[in-house]
Amino acid sequence: MADYTTPPSDQLAAATLNDDVSASTVKKHQFSDRVLIRSIVSRPDGGAGLAGQRVRVGGWVKTGREQGKGSFAFLEVNDGSCPANLQVIVDAAVADLAQLVQTGTSVSVEGMLKNPPEGTKQKVELRVEKVIDVGTVDPAKYPIPKTKLTLEFLRDRIHFRPRTNTISAVARIRNALAFATHTFFQEHGFLYVHTPIVTTSDCEGAGEMFQVTTLINEAERVEKELIKNPPPSEADIEAANLVAEEKAETVKKLKSDKADKAVIKASVAELNKARENVAKLVERSKLKPGIPQKDGKIDYGQDFFGRQAFLTVSGQLQVETYACAVSNVYTFGPTFRAENSHTSRHLAEFWMVEPEIAFADLKDDMNCAEAYVKFMCHWLLDKCLDDMEFMAKNYDKTCIDRLRMVASTPFERISYTEAVELLLVAVKEGKKFENAVEWGIDLASEHERYLTEVKFQKPVIVYNYPKGIKAFYMRVNDDLKTVAAMDVLVPKVGELIGGSQREERIDIIKDRILEMGLPLEPYEWYLDLRRFGTVKHCGFGLGFERMILFATGIDNIRDVIPFPRYPGRADL
């Protein structure tokens, strides 16, 4: 029998799931007076070996039905710890069945685990002896019925969509990939660095950035203030000045008459008050409605940061400062693009994993990227197979095979020039692409997927891209036409990772900045890394949501991030 008075220290020692089917005791959650459903149904024996245990569980009813002419009810309860439900049986003598069977109802119940009759798919079920709590649902109003729902439908009910099987599975897969990310880099000696979300640098030079400003709010505040309390006129200020002058004369006279010190002190206080009033009136007279201007342009000197600021498009430039001091680092956080795109592959806010390796070149970069992707695939197969089986059943029957293939297959490596030649051969053989193929283009998703899904049928790393289509910070190759850049392409999504060896030569990177039409001044700090103790280094960025798309087979990126932001939508 489970002991609900077990000291926390004992709970901690038994917090992990015991996979030994002979274990006779199921342990409750360390920080909650309940047992996770996963620790019951995800055992190798499906929980059968726990029969006879008294447990308390909590969760939400997926389906419920009254049986035996209302004498008892079956509930399928899920608490989010795993995809599987626990079958719960409640007698009418224990609780009001009508309020328990509605989909979405939350329940906390206590009872005995028992083996169900032979021939049923469940290995164990809970016979309820006590209902502790119930969060009722009005089925006429609950927006997430038990019928099959589309992912588009769920995007309009974003605060409830984690209660669905799909989104809760995505959440667990996303969590596993985040854990795998930190595990991989920590085990390989990388330091986790938090780079800023607010930045004054444009990493990509594309200009599609969200601006961070208080000027608009301040202008609205001033406008309301001026309507409520109009600014003083010149006459008001002149009158206040006369009062201050009179007070000054009074103080002067009192001092010359050698008046009492207390009287002089009081008069000086009145003078100071009058002068403060003048200063306030002068300051208020300068208030004008609208955004502050200087020389015909917006005066960002009056903005919160004293200059233009934006939401970051990448943490790369900032994390390089640490790579050039402590060697191997990575950042993992949200990035933002103000791109008015409505495709299934774009978000306005998304997460990036960006490692940076000192004393390393492009080959090292490719080796790290390949190892990282393989590690994540292995991790999902080892730690999240039940959720991946759900995805294979409901969304993409090939997703598990794809993970296994990527985890075990060496990635193909070809130059950009070789990739274009292969695409041109495909065109000559009758393959039709919507985007024309020629040397110098940025490979489109259809080109990338052809290489990975048709030509090589495995991940492909394309390297040495044309200089003209890549960012200023990528190292120029000896041919002066290409840069030491690489993209990791995978089946299903195309580009998963983009990276490069960084340009460490100051003269060349200055020329590249100017070639891109960017000003040098905002990048002076970045150039300092090349002026003082410059070092060969490289890195890459992995779009985290794209990795989840690749793993799950889900089609739209809006369904693999908890709170999607895209043009016209920023719910919650």
Side-chain angles (χ1 to χ4, degrees):
M1 181 183 297
D3 179 8
Y4 292 106
T5 60
T6 306
S9 58
D10 293 343
Q11 294 176 30
L12 180 61
T16 53
L17 174 63
N18 190 334
D19 287 330
D20 182 356
V21 296
S22 66
S24 60
T25 304
V26 61
K27 301 298 181 181
K28 64 180 180 178
H29 190 273
Q30 181 188 351
F31 304 116
S32 176
D33 195 18
R34 67 186 175 103
V35 169
L36 293 179
I37 288 175
R38 177 181 180 273
S39 64
I40 299 172
V41 301
S42 293
R43 289 163 49 100
D45 66 351
L50 298 174
Q53 295 287 312
R54 178 169 282 106
V55 297
R56 179 178 294 183
V57 299
W60 289 264
V61 175
K62 292 293 184 178
T63 63
R65 64 188 189 278
E66 294 186 43
Q67 296 284 298
K69 297 182 180 179
S71 61
F72 67 95
F74 285 110
L75 309 178
E76 292 289 326
V77 177
N78 188 285
D79 64 0
S81 60
C82 66
N85 303 325
L86 175 66
Q87 181 164 282
V88 173
I89 302 173
V90 188
D91 289 329
V94 175
D96 178 6
L97 302 183
Q99 69 173 359
L100 294 178
V101 296
Q102 303 301 335
T103 297
T105 301
S106 70
V107 293
S108 177
V109 295
E110 188 175 310
M112 189 75 71
L113 292 172
K114 295 184 177 293
N115 296 125
E118 286 189 19
T120 59
K121 67 176 183 177
Q122 294 85 10
K123 302 297 183 183
V124 71
E125 61 189 17
L126 179 65
R127 301 292 181 92
V128 173
E129 298 172 352
K130 182 181 180 183
V131 175
I132 290 88
D133 286 306
V134 177
T136 59
V137 162
D138 181 349
K141 297 180 180 179
Y142 186 56
I144 308 292
K146 61 183 178 183
T147 55
K148 188 171 178 62
L149 305 169
T150 67
L151 295 176
E152 291 83 358
F153 174 88
L154 292 174
R155 283 180 221 140
D156 292 328
R157 294 148 185 86
I158 200 167
H159 54 302
F160 278 125
R161 71 177 190 166
R163 296 192 185 187
T164 64
N165 294 334
T166 295
I167 301 303
S168 60
V170 168
R172 288 186 292 269
I173 290 168
R174 186 182 178 100
N175 170 74
L177 287 171
F179 196 172
T181 292
H182 288 295
T183 302
F184 176 83
F185 288 111
Q186 293 295 325
E187 287 183 352
H188 287 87
F190 285 71
L191 189 71
Y192 181 33
V193 176
H194 296 140
T195 51
I197 289 175
V198 177
T199 179
T200 55
S201 298
D202 180 359
C203 177
E204 300 298 331
E208 295 167 340
M209 305 176 76
F210 287 102
Q211 191 164 338
V212 177
T213 181
T214 58
L215 290 179
I216 297 172
N217 288 346
E218 181 63 16
E220 290 176 346
R221 185 194 68 78
V222 169
E223 189 170 347
K224 289 178 182 177
E225 172 65 19
L226 291 176
I227 292 172
K228 182 179 178 181
N229 187 10
S233 64
E234 290 186 12
D236 294 331
I237 297 173
E238 188 176 341
N241 269 319
L242 287 173
V243 171
E245 289 171 5
E246 289 174 1
K247 298 291 184 185
E249 286 297 325
T250 301
V251 170
K252 185 178 179 181
K253 187 172 188 311
L254 288 172
K255 286 182 177 180
S256 65
D257 293 343
K258 296 183 180 179
D260 184 77
K261 287 185 179 180
V263 174
I264 293 174
K265 185 177 180 181
S267 186
V268 168
E270 289 183 9
L271 171 60
N272 290 337
K273 189 174 180 181
R275 286 174 173 170
E276 286 175 9
N277 183 49
V278 171
K280 288 178 180 178
L281 290 175
V282 170
E283 189 65 28
R284 277 191 53 76
S285 71
K286 295 177 181 178
L287 292 178
K288 292 180 176 59
I291 305 293
Q293 301 273 321
K294 185 177 181 181
D295 299 328
K297 297 180 181 179
I298 295 174
D299 183 8
Y300 287 107
Q302 296 189 45
D303 208 347
F304 187 89
F305 295 107
R307 59 190 298 185
Q308 270 189 295
F310 309 91
L311 295 180
T312 185
V313 299
S314 168
Q316 178 207 312
L317 299 189
Q318 289 84 357
V319 87
E320 280 188 54
T321 66
Y322 276 76
C324 294
V326 295
S327 296
N328 298 336
V329 295
Y330 71 106
T331 185
F332 181 11
T335 54
F336 307 84
R337 300 283 169 89
E339 186 176 356
N340 191 19
S341 174
H342 293 268
T343 76
S344 62
R345 292 290 184 271
H346 288 88
L347 287 167
E349 175 185 305
F350 55 97
W351 286 64
M352 290 280 285
V353 179
E354 298 177 289
E356 198 73 25
I357 318 168
F359 305 98
D361 59 18
L362 187 65
K363 184 178 179 181
D364 299 312
D365 207 30
M366 292 190 283
N367 290 341
C368 181
E370 180 171 344
Y372 171 43
V373 173
K374 287 177 179 291
F375 185 88
M376 286 192 288
C377 292
H378 277 298
W379 189 277
L380 285 182
L381 293 168
D382 291 343
K383 312 286 187 182
C384 228
L385 187 58
D386 50 359
D387 284 306
M388 288 307 306
E389 288 172 341
F390 172 86
M391 290 297 164
K393 179 181 178 182
N394 293 280
Y395 290 95
D396 183 354
K397 63 183 180 181
T398 66
C399 64
I400 293 177
D401 291 337
R402 189 167 59 245
L403 287 179
R404 288 177 175 147
M405 180 273 290
V406 173
S408 60
T409 305
F411 292 9
E412 188 73 28
R413 299 188 185 189
I414 59 173
S415 71
Y416 169 87
T417 300
E418 291 169 326
V420 170
E421 288 171 353
L422 290 171
L423 293 169
L424 287 172
V425 169
V427 171
K428 286 180 181 178
E429 293 175 349
K431 175 66 179 174
K432 295 188 183 302
F433 293 113
E434 290 184 12
N435 298 274
V437 178
E438 61 180 351
W439 199 95
I441 64 163
D442 199 359
L443 297 182
S445 179
E446 60 175 337
H447 303 143
E448 296 166 345
R449 294 188 64 175
Y450 171 81
L451 292 170
T452 59
E453 297 171 12
V454 179
K455 179 62 183 175
F456 294 105
Q457 298 182 6
K458 63 178 180 177
V460 178
I461 302 180
V462 179
Y463 60 91
N464 289 347
Y465 278 80
K467 181 175 70 169
I469 61 173
K470 289 297 182 180
F472 70 87
Y473 51 74
M474 298 184 178
R475 195 180 201 277
V476 178
N477 289 324
D478 293 342
D479 62 12
L480 303 182
K481 292 168 50 182
T482 62
V483 290
M486 66 90 184
D487 287 343
V488 178
L489 315 180
V490 295
K492 183 70 181 175
V493 300
E495 182 188 341
L496 178 64
I497 285 175
S500 69
Q501 182 175 337
R502 317 311 189 189
E503 182 57 79
E504 84 280 10
R505 298 164 294 184
I506 188 167
D507 292 340
I508 294 176
I509 197 169
K510 284 171 86 172
D511 290 342
R512 289 286 288 137
I513 291 173
L514 295 173
E515 278 177 25
M516 300 288 286
L518 299 172
L520 286 174
E521 189 276 329
Y523 299 99
E524 283 298 331
W525 65 270
Y526 191 66
L527 296 174
D528 277 347
L529 301 180
R530 278 74 182 165
R531 289 189 182 100
F532 307 107
T534 189
V535 61
K536 177 174 67 176
H537 61 291
C538 61
F540 61 80
L542 173 136
F544 196 59
E545 284 74 29
R546 287 198 173 193
M547 181 63 201
I548 304 171
L549 287 179
F550 163 75
T552 62
I554 285 177
D555 289 326
N556 199 308
I557 200 167
R558 298 171 184 178
D559 301 317
V560 297
I561 190 168
F563 304 100
R565 273 81 177 95
Y566 49 96
R569 295 297 290 267
D571 298 336
L572 277 62

